[in-house]
Amino acid sequence: MRNTIFAVSWTITIGAFACSVGLFDSASAEPVVFRFDAEQSGVPIPPPEGSLAAEAGTLPRISGKFGFESNAPLAAQAELPGRVAFGDYNTGFLFLDSMDIGRVPGNIHVQVTDGATNVNDPRLTIVDEVTLSTRAISTVTPIDAVTLRLRYLDAEQLQGVELPHALDSDDIEKVSLTFSTRIDGMSNRAKGETATGDLLGLVHFEVTVIERIE
């Protein structure tokens, strides 16, 4: 049974999660923008002092905006037959009201995952997702990252890797915001070495309210 309650409204939010959906002209170049509220749901790995994740760990609640350009060019595309296809877009944005994430390296990229149902073993089903995340690599000093993930109920909702122009509350299972601090590892195939990075800090927030504002 789902514990999350959805309401579709421009002005009223009901229950643990509310999503506002409006009409949108897919031919328009205007950005798709959503406002959100989130509550801290856990600190699995206490982040190092001075990191953005450590700052996030002191906040019980957080709010902000996220979105993407509706006509963002496809930066990369790949497909594993019968399993999953994803679209990678080079335009995305995430702003927090109480934190400055401008010091987080890397631009916000949007990845749309069109998952696949595994009929032989449903536990291996890849669900549909939309992820906004910073991208940068550091193998020497700790690096911060921010990820906002919209997880759909199953692998039959998106039916493609195009950027969604609206969020259907009946299709969304969970929306989360994650702050992490890490050192990346690099592999060397010639020497038979695999990447062995370290996750130094992790803070989770669960989004409780989403409202379409543009």
Side-chain angles (χ1 to χ4, degrees), residues 112-153:
V112 182
T113 301
D114 178 12
T117 299
N118 189 319
V119 294
N120 296 322
D121 189 347
R123 295 173 301 176
L124 299 179
T125 291
I126 300 173
V127 299
D128 291 347
E129 289 184 340
V130 177
T131 303
L132 288 84
S133 182
T134 56
R135 293 188 182 176
I137 295 176
S138 175
T139 60
V140 179
T141 58
I143 188 173
D144 283 308
V146 183
T147 299
L148 190 143
R149 185 184 307 274
L150 297 93
R151 178 175 288 260
Y152 284 68
L153 283 170

mmCIF file of all heavy atoms in Angstrom, residues 112-153:
data_model
loop_
_atom_site.group_PDB
_atom_site.id
_atom_site.type_symbol
_atom_site.label_atom_id
_atom_site.label_comp_id
_atom_site.label_asym_id
_atom_site.label_seq_id
_atom_site.Cartn_x
_atom_site.Cartn_y
_atom_site.Cartn_z
ATOM 1 N N VAL A 112 16.630 11.112 -18.282
ATOM 2 C CA VAL A 112 15.314 10.476 -18.312
ATOM 3 C C VAL A 112 15.512 8.993 -18.594
ATOM 4 O O VAL A 112 16.071 8.622 -19.628
ATOM 5 C CB VAL A 112 14.417 11.104 -19.392
ATOM 6 C CG1 VAL A 112 13.033 10.455 -19.374
ATOM 7 C CG2 VAL A 112 14.288 12.612 -19.182
ATOM 8 N N THR A 113 15.073 8.161 -17.674
ATOM 9 C CA THR A 113 15.228 6.717 -17.818
ATOM 10 C C THR A 113 13.888 6.078 -18.147
ATOM 11 O O THR A 113 12.938 6.171 -17.374
ATOM 12 C CB THR A 113 15.766 6.094 -16.518
ATOM 13 O OG1 THR A 113 17.020 6.689 -16.194
ATOM 14 C CG2 THR A 113 15.946 4.593 -16.675
ATOM 15 N N ASP A 114 13.812 5.456 -19.302
ATOM 16 C CA ASP A 114 12.644 4.672 -19.693
ATOM 17 C C ASP A 114 12.955 3.231 -19.340
ATOM 18 O O ASP A 114 13.666 2.539 -20.058
ATOM 19 C CB ASP A 114 12.381 4.835 -21.197
ATOM 20 C CG ASP A 114 11.207 3.998 -21.671
ATOM 21 O OD1 ASP A 114 10.463 3.483 -20.813
ATOM 22 O OD2 ASP A 114 11.033 3.851 -22.889
ATOM 23 N N GLY A 115 12.464 2.802 -18.204
ATOM 24 C CA GLY A 115 12.821 1.486 -17.697
ATOM 25 C C GLY A 115 12.140 0.357 -18.429
ATOM 26 O O GLY A 115 11.435 0.548 -19.420
ATOM 27 N N ALA A 116 12.359 -0.846 -17.931
ATOM 28 C CA ALA A 116 11.809 -2.037 -18.565
ATOM 29 C C ALA A 116 11.367 -3.036 -17.513
ATOM 30 O O ALA A 116 12.036 -3.217 -16.498
ATOM 31 C CB ALA A 116 12.845 -2.685 -19.478
ATOM 32 N N THR A 117 10.228 -3.656 -17.747
ATOM 33 C CA THR A 117 9.733 -4.690 -16.844
ATOM 34 C C THR A 117 10.383 -6.025 -17.186
ATOM 35 O O THR A 117 10.379 -6.448 -18.341
ATOM 36 C CB THR A 117 8.209 -4.819 -16.962
ATOM 37 O OG1 THR A 117 7.614 -3.573 -16.603
ATOM 38 C CG2 THR A 117 7.692 -5.903 -16.046
ATOM 39 N N ASN A 118 10.938 -6.675 -16.202
ATOM 40 C CA ASN A 118 11.542 -7.989 -16.389
ATOM 41 C C ASN A 118 10.483 -9.040 -16.074
ATOM 42 O O ASN A 118 10.137 -9.267 -14.914
ATOM 43 C CB ASN A 118 12.751 -8.144 -15.464
ATOM 44 C CG ASN A 118 13.557 -9.393 -15.775
ATOM 45 O OD1 ASN A 118 13.005 -10.446 -16.039
ATOM 46 N ND2 ASN A 118 14.884 -9.252 -15.745
ATOM 47 N N VAL A 119 9.954 -9.665 -17.098
ATOM 48 C CA VAL A 119 8.851 -10.606 -16.901
ATOM 49 C C VAL A 119 9.317 -11.875 -16.196
ATOM 50 O O VAL A 119 8.529 -12.558 -15.530
ATOM 51 C CB VAL A 119 8.197 -10.968 -18.253
ATOM 52 C CG1 VAL A 119 7.537 -9.743 -18.852
ATOM 53 C CG2 VAL A 119 9.219 -11.540 -19.219
ATOM 54 N N ASN A 120 10.598 -12.210 -16.323
ATOM 55 C CA ASN A 120 11.112 -13.416 -15.690
ATOM 56 C C ASN A 120 11.357 -13.236 -14.193
ATOM 57 O O ASN A 120 11.233 -14.181 -13.411
ATOM 58 C CB ASN A 120 12.402 -13.869 -16.367
ATOM 59 C CG ASN A 120 12.184 -14.263 -17.813
ATOM 60 O OD1 ASN A 120 11.164 -14.865 -18.144
ATOM 61 N ND2 ASN A 120 13.117 -13.902 -18.676
ATOM 62 N N ASP A 121 11.713 -12.018 -13.807
ATOM 63 C CA ASP A 121 11.963 -11.727 -12.400
ATOM 64 C C ASP A 121 11.599 -10.270 -12.139
ATOM 65 O O ASP A 121 12.408 -9.372 -12.379
ATOM 66 C CB ASP A 121 13.425 -11.986 -12.043
ATOM 67 C CG ASP A 121 13.676 -11.911 -10.540
ATOM 68 O OD1 ASP A 121 12.779 -11.429 -9.809
ATOM 69 O OD2 ASP A 121 14.750 -12.327 -10.092
ATOM 70 N N PRO A 122 10.369 -9.997 -11.652
ATOM 71 C CA PRO A 122 9.927 -8.616 -11.428
ATOM 72 C C PRO A 122 10.846 -7.831 -10.498
ATOM 73 O O PRO A 122 10.867 -6.596 -10.554
ATOM 74 C CB PRO A 122 8.537 -8.804 -10.798
ATOM 75 C CG PRO A 122 8.089 -10.155 -11.254
ATOM 76 C CD PRO A 122 9.333 -10.980 -11.328
ATOM 77 N N ARG A 123 11.614 -8.509 -9.667
ATOM 78 C CA ARG A 123 12.519 -7.805 -8.762
ATOM 79 C C ARG A 123 13.615 -7.068 -9.518
ATOM 80 O O ARG A 123 14.228 -6.130 -8.985
ATOM 81 C CB ARG A 123 13.149 -8.794 -7.780
ATOM 82 C CG ARG A 123 12.165 -9.449 -6.807
ATOM 83 C CD ARG A 123 12.853 -10.528 -6.005
ATOM 84 N NE ARG A 123 13.425 -11.566 -6.875
ATOM 85 C CZ ARG A 123 14.153 -12.585 -6.433
ATOM 86 N NH1 ARG A 123 14.421 -12.695 -5.147
ATOM 87 N NH2 ARG A 123 14.626 -13.488 -7.278
ATOM 88 N N LEU A 124 13.872 -7.481 -10.743
ATOM 89 C CA LEU A 124 14.914 -6.842 -11.553
ATOM 90 C C LEU A 124 14.353 -5.757 -12.467
ATOM 91 O O LEU A 124 15.070 -5.222 -13.304
ATOM 92 C CB LEU A 124 15.637 -7.897 -12.390
ATOM 93 C CG LEU A 124 16.344 -9.001 -11.597
ATOM 94 C CD1 LEU A 124 16.993 -9.999 -12.551
ATOM 95 C CD2 LEU A 124 17.373 -8.417 -10.645
ATOM 96 N N THR A 125 13.071 -5.444 -12.308
ATOM 97 C CA THR A 125 12.455 -4.402 -13.128
ATOM 98 C C THR A 125 13.136 -3.056 -12.900
ATOM 99 O O THR A 125 13.397 -2.666 -11.765
ATOM 100 C CB THR A 125 10.952 -4.279 -12.807
ATOM 101 O OG1 THR A 125 10.288 -5.453 -13.280
ATOM 102 C CG2 THR A 125 10.341 -3.054 -13.471
ATOM 103 N N ILE A 126 13.436 -2.353 -13.983
ATOM 104 C CA ILE A 126 14.002 -1.010 -13.912
ATOM 105 C C ILE A 126 12.859 -0.014 -14.068
ATOM 106 O O ILE A 126 12.203 0.040 -15.109
ATOM 107 C CB ILE A 126 15.049 -0.792 -15.012
ATOM 108 C CG1 ILE A 126 16.191 -1.802 -14.854
ATOM 109 C CG2 ILE A 126 15.599 0.635 -14.963
ATOM 110 C CD1 ILE A 126 17.192 -1.774 -15.990
ATOM 111 N N VAL A 127 12.610 0.771 -13.036
ATOM 112 C CA VAL A 127 11.489 1.704 -13.075
ATOM 113 C C VAL A 127 11.867 2.950 -13.866
ATOM 114 O O VAL A 127 13.040 3.221 -14.118
ATOM 115 C CB VAL A 127 11.051 2.104 -11.654
ATOM 116 C CG1 VAL A 127 10.605 0.886 -10.863
ATOM 117 C CG2 VAL A 127 12.180 2.827 -10.929
ATOM 118 N N ASP A 128 10.868 3.723 -14.253
ATOM 119 C CA ASP A 128 11.104 4.993 -14.930
ATOM 120 C C ASP A 128 11.544 6.042 -13.913
ATOM 121 O O ASP A 128 11.042 6.091 -12.793
ATOM 122 C CB ASP A 128 9.831 5.471 -15.623
ATOM 123 C CG ASP A 128 9.455 4.597 -16.809
ATOM 124 O OD1 ASP A 128 10.295 3.794 -17.243
ATOM 125 O OD2 ASP A 128 8.319 4.724 -17.294
ATOM 126 N N GLU A 129 12.481 6.901 -14.341
ATOM 127 C CA GLU A 129 12.986 7.951 -13.455
ATOM 128 C C GLU A 129 13.345 9.198 -14.258
ATOM 129 O O GLU A 129 13.699 9.115 -15.426
ATOM 130 C CB GLU A 129 14.242 7.491 -12.709
ATOM 131 C CG GLU A 129 14.016 6.452 -11.656
ATOM 132 C CD GLU A 129 15.293 6.130 -10.893
ATOM 133 O OE1 GLU A 129 16.387 6.420 -11.426
ATOM 134 O OE2 GLU A 129 15.181 5.597 -9.786
ATOM 135 N N VAL A 130 13.274 10.340 -13.579
ATOM 136 C CA VAL A 130 13.846 11.585 -14.082
ATOM 137 C C VAL A 130 14.792 12.080 -13.001
ATOM 138 O O VAL A 130 14.389 12.241 -11.847
ATOM 139 C CB VAL A 130 12.779 12.639 -14.386
ATOM 140 C CG1 VAL A 130 13.435 13.947 -14.842
ATOM 141 C CG2 VAL A 130 11.809 12.138 -15.448
ATOM 142 N N THR A 131 16.061 12.303 -13.363
ATOM 143 C CA THR A 131 17.072 12.684 -12.383
ATOM 144 C C THR A 131 17.748 13.977 -12.802
ATOM 145 O O THR A 131 18.167 14.121 -13.947
ATOM 146 C CB THR A 131 18.142 11.588 -12.245
ATOM 147 O OG1 THR A 131 17.511 10.357 -11.889
ATOM 148 C CG2 THR A 131 19.152 11.944 -11.177
ATOM 149 N N LEU A 132 17.838 14.928 -11.875
ATOM 150 C CA LEU A 132 18.626 16.147 -12.063
ATOM 151 C C LEU A 132 19.812 16.059 -11.126
ATOM 152 O O LEU A 132 19.635 15.927 -9.904
ATOM 153 C CB LEU A 132 17.815 17.402 -11.754
ATOM 154 C CG LEU A 132 16.719 17.805 -12.749
ATOM 155 C CD1 LEU A 132 15.430 17.045 -12.482
ATOM 156 C CD2 LEU A 132 16.460 19.306 -12.679
ATOM 157 N N SER A 133 21.022 16.121 -11.669
ATOM 158 C CA SER A 133 22.195 15.911 -10.831
ATOM 159 C C SER A 133 23.389 16.708 -11.328
ATOM 160 O O SER A 133 23.555 16.920 -12.532
ATOM 161 C CB SER A 133 22.547 14.418 -10.810
ATOM 162 O OG SER A 133 23.646 14.166 -9.979
ATOM 163 N N THR A 134 24.225 17.158 -10.373
ATOM 164 C CA THR A 134 25.481 17.805 -10.748
ATOM 165 C C THR A 134 26.462 16.738 -11.228
ATOM 166 O O THR A 134 26.391 15.583 -10.806
ATOM 167 C CB THR A 134 26.097 18.556 -9.558
ATOM 168 O OG1 THR A 134 26.268 17.648 -8.457
ATOM 169 C CG2 THR A 134 25.203 19.696 -9.121
ATOM 170 N N ARG A 135 27.382 17.153 -12.095
ATOM 171 C CA ARG A 135 28.358 16.213 -12.631
ATOM 172 C C ARG A 135 29.748 16.815 -12.602
ATOM 173 O O ARG A 135 30.004 17.843 -13.222
ATOM 174 C CB ARG A 135 27.995 15.816 -14.063
ATOM 175 C CG ARG A 135 26.719 14.999 -14.134
ATOM 176 C CD ARG A 135 26.490 14.462 -15.516
ATOM 177 N NE ARG A 135 25.253 13.711 -15.590
ATOM 178 C CZ ARG A 135 24.764 13.186 -16.700
ATOM 179 N NH1 ARG A 135 25.419 13.344 -17.835
ATOM 180 N NH2 ARG A 135 23.634 12.512 -16.680
ATOM 181 N N ALA A 136 30.614 16.185 -11.875
ATOM 182 C CA ALA A 136 32.025 16.566 -11.821
ATOM 183 C C ALA A 136 32.777 15.392 -11.216
ATOM 184 O O ALA A 136 32.181 14.542 -10.545
ATOM 185 C CB ALA A 136 32.228 17.826 -10.983
ATOM 186 N N ILE A 137 34.073 15.329 -11.456
ATOM 187 C CA ILE A 137 34.900 14.226 -10.969
ATOM 188 C C ILE A 137 36.105 14.792 -10.227
ATOM 189 O O ILE A 137 36.741 15.746 -10.673
ATOM 190 C CB ILE A 137 35.374 13.338 -12.135
ATOM 191 C CG1 ILE A 137 34.176 12.641 -12.791
ATOM 192 C CG2 ILE A 137 36.373 12.292 -11.651
ATOM 193 C CD1 ILE A 137 34.537 11.822 -14.010
ATOM 194 N N SER A 138 36.421 14.193 -9.081
ATOM 195 C CA SER A 138 37.622 14.553 -8.332
ATOM 196 C C SER A 138 38.193 13.292 -7.703
ATOM 197 O O SER A 138 37.515 12.600 -6.940
ATOM 198 C CB SER A 138 37.294 15.578 -7.240
ATOM 199 O OG SER A 138 38.449 15.836 -6.458
ATOM 200 N N THR A 139 39.409 12.971 -8.037
ATOM 201 C CA THR A 139 40.056 11.768 -7.504
ATOM 202 C C THR A 139 41.031 12.076 -6.373
ATOM 203 O O THR A 139 41.651 11.158 -5.829
ATOM 204 C CB THR A 139 40.810 11.035 -8.624
ATOM 205 O OG1 THR A 139 41.801 11.916 -9.172
ATOM 206 C CG2 THR A 139 39.864 10.599 -9.726
ATOM 207 N N VAL A 140 41.160 13.362 -6.027
ATOM 208 C CA VAL A 140 42.147 13.762 -5.010
ATOM 209 C C VAL A 140 41.472 14.357 -3.781
ATOM 210 O O VAL A 140 41.673 13.896 -2.652
ATOM 211 C CB VAL A 140 43.160 14.764 -5.595
ATOM 212 C CG1 VAL A 140 44.156 15.180 -4.521
ATOM 213 C CG2 VAL A 140 43.877 14.155 -6.788
ATOM 214 N N THR A 141 40.674 15.394 -3.987
ATOM 215 C CA THR A 141 40.012 16.071 -2.866
ATOM 216 C C THR A 141 38.532 15.738 -2.851
ATOM 217 O O THR A 141 37.939 15.431 -3.894
ATOM 218 C CB THR A 141 40.194 17.594 -2.977
ATOM 219 O OG1 THR A 141 39.648 18.045 -4.231
ATOM 220 C CG2 THR A 141 41.666 17.969 -2.911
ATOM 221 N N PRO A 142 37.888 15.796 -1.683
ATOM 222 C CA PRO A 142 36.449 15.521 -1.595
ATOM 223 C C PRO A 142 35.649 16.487 -2.460
ATOM 224 O O PRO A 142 36.002 17.663 -2.613
ATOM 225 C CB PRO A 142 36.143 15.727 -0.113
ATOM 226 C CG PRO A 142 37.443 15.486 0.576
ATOM 227 C CD PRO A 142 38.492 16.020 -0.360
ATOM 228 N N ILE A 143 34.572 15.994 -3.028
ATOM 229 C CA ILE A 143 33.733 16.776 -3.918
ATOM 230 C C ILE A 143 32.279 16.593 -3.513
ATOM 231 O O ILE A 143 31.850 15.497 -3.139
ATOM 232 C CB ILE A 143 33.957 16.346 -5.387
ATOM 233 C CG1 ILE A 143 33.246 17.274 -6.350
ATOM 234 C CG2 ILE A 143 33.557 14.915 -5.616
ATOM 235 C CD1 ILE A 143 33.578 17.005 -7.804
ATOM 236 N N ASP A 144 31.512 17.697 -3.561
ATOM 237 C CA ASP A 144 30.083 17.656 -3.230
ATOM 238 C C ASP A 144 29.259 17.416 -4.479
ATOM 239 O O ASP A 144 29.661 17.778 -5.596
ATOM 240 C CB ASP A 144 29.639 18.966 -2.579
ATOM 241 C CG ASP A 144 30.059 19.066 -1.123
ATOM 242 O OD1 ASP A 144 29.770 18.120 -0.368
ATOM 243 O OD2 ASP A 144 30.660 20.091 -0.743
ATOM 244 N N ALA A 145 28.087 16.836 -4.296
ATOM 245 C CA ALA A 145 27.146 16.626 -5.392
ATOM 246 C C ALA A 145 25.725 16.725 -4.850
ATOM 247 O O ALA A 145 25.468 16.459 -3.667
ATOM 248 C CB ALA A 145 27.366 15.272 -6.052
ATOM 249 N N VAL A 146 24.805 17.129 -5.729
ATOM 250 C CA VAL A 146 23.385 17.238 -5.381
ATOM 251 C C VAL A 146 22.583 16.511 -6.440
ATOM 252 O O VAL A 146 22.826 16.679 -7.643
ATOM 253 C CB VAL A 146 22.936 18.714 -5.303
ATOM 254 C CG1 VAL A 146 21.473 18.798 -4.872
ATOM 255 C CG2 VAL A 146 23.805 19.504 -4.346
ATOM 256 N N THR A 147 21.614 15.706 -6.006
ATOM 257 C CA THR A 147 20.776 14.945 -6.936
ATOM 258 C C THR A 147 19.321 15.028 -6.516
ATOM 259 O O THR A 147 18.993 14.796 -5.346
ATOM 260 C CB THR A 147 21.191 13.463 -6.973
ATOM 261 O OG1 THR A 147 22.543 13.360 -7.418
ATOM 262 C CG2 THR A 147 20.297 12.671 -7.916
ATOM 263 N N LEU A 148 18.462 15.368 -7.461
ATOM 264 C CA LEU A 148 17.017 15.320 -7.255
ATOM 265 C C LEU A 148 16.458 14.238 -8.169
ATOM 266 O O LEU A 148 16.682 14.277 -9.369
ATOM 267 C CB LEU A 148 16.361 16.671 -7.543
ATOM 268 C CG LEU A 148 14.884 16.780 -7.136
ATOM 269 C CD1 LEU A 148 14.577 18.170 -6.590
ATOM 270 C CD2 LEU A 148 13.949 16.465 -8.300
ATOM 271 N N ARG A 149 15.757 13.263 -7.580
ATOM 272 C CA ARG A 149 15.307 12.095 -8.330
ATOM 273 C C ARG A 149 13.786 11.949 -8.235
ATOM 274 O O ARG A 149 13.229 11.928 -7.144
ATOM 275 C CB ARG A 149 15.982 10.842 -7.794
ATOM 276 C CG ARG A 149 15.667 9.569 -8.580
ATOM 277 C CD ARG A 149 16.305 8.347 -7.916
ATOM 278 N NE ARG A 149 17.723 8.546 -7.684
ATOM 279 C CZ ARG A 149 18.669 8.305 -8.592
ATOM 280 N NH1 ARG A 149 18.342 7.844 -9.784
ATOM 281 N NH2 ARG A 149 19.941 8.503 -8.304
ATOM 282 N N LEU A 150 13.132 11.858 -9.395
ATOM 283 C CA LEU A 150 11.706 11.577 -9.468
ATOM 284 C C LEU A 150 11.536 10.136 -9.920
ATOM 285 O O LEU A 150 11.848 9.797 -11.056
ATOM 286 C CB LEU A 150 11.007 12.518 -10.456
ATOM 287 C CG LEU A 150 11.032 14.008 -10.128
ATOM 288 C CD1 LEU A 150 12.217 14.690 -10.806
ATOM 289 C CD2 LEU A 150 9.742 14.671 -10.566
ATOM 290 N N ARG A 151 11.067 9.301 -9.014
ATOM 291 C CA ARG A 151 10.908 7.869 -9.314
ATOM 292 C C ARG A 151 9.441 7.576 -9.600
ATOM 293 O O ARG A 151 8.557 7.859 -8.789
ATOM 294 C CB ARG A 151 11.389 7.023 -8.150
ATOM 295 C CG ARG A 151 11.215 5.525 -8.361
ATOM 296 C CD ARG A 151 11.824 4.749 -7.207
ATOM 297 N NE ARG A 151 13.282 4.816 -7.261
ATOM 298 C CZ ARG A 151 14.049 3.836 -7.738
ATOM 299 N NH1 ARG A 151 13.491 2.729 -8.207
ATOM 300 N NH2 ARG A 151 15.350 3.947 -7.761
ATOM 301 N N TYR A 152 9.198 6.988 -10.771
ATOM 302 C CA TYR A 152 7.835 6.636 -11.163
ATOM 303 C C TYR A 152 7.447 5.283 -10.561
ATOM 304 O O TYR A 152 8.293 4.524 -10.096
ATOM 305 C CB TYR A 152 7.720 6.612 -12.681
ATOM 306 C CG TYR A 152 7.672 7.989 -13.299
ATOM 307 C CD1 TYR A 152 8.790 8.830 -13.258
ATOM 308 C CD2 TYR A 152 6.531 8.470 -13.909
ATOM 309 C CE1 TYR A 152 8.759 10.097 -13.808
ATOM 310 C CE2 TYR A 152 6.486 9.733 -14.474
ATOM 311 C CZ TYR A 152 7.605 10.544 -14.412
ATOM 312 O OH TYR A 152 7.575 11.807 -14.956
ATOM 313 N N LEU A 153 6.171 4.978 -10.568
ATOM 314 C CA LEU A 153 5.674 3.756 -9.949
ATOM 315 C C LEU A 153 6.180 2.503 -10.641
ATOM 316 O O LEU A 153 6.432 1.485 -10.002
ATOM 317 C CB LEU A 153 4.143 3.755 -9.936
ATOM 318 C CG LEU A 153 3.495 4.645 -8.874
ATOM 319 C CD1 LEU A 153 2.002 4.749 -9.123
ATOM 320 C CD2 LEU A 153 3.772 4.088 -7.493
#
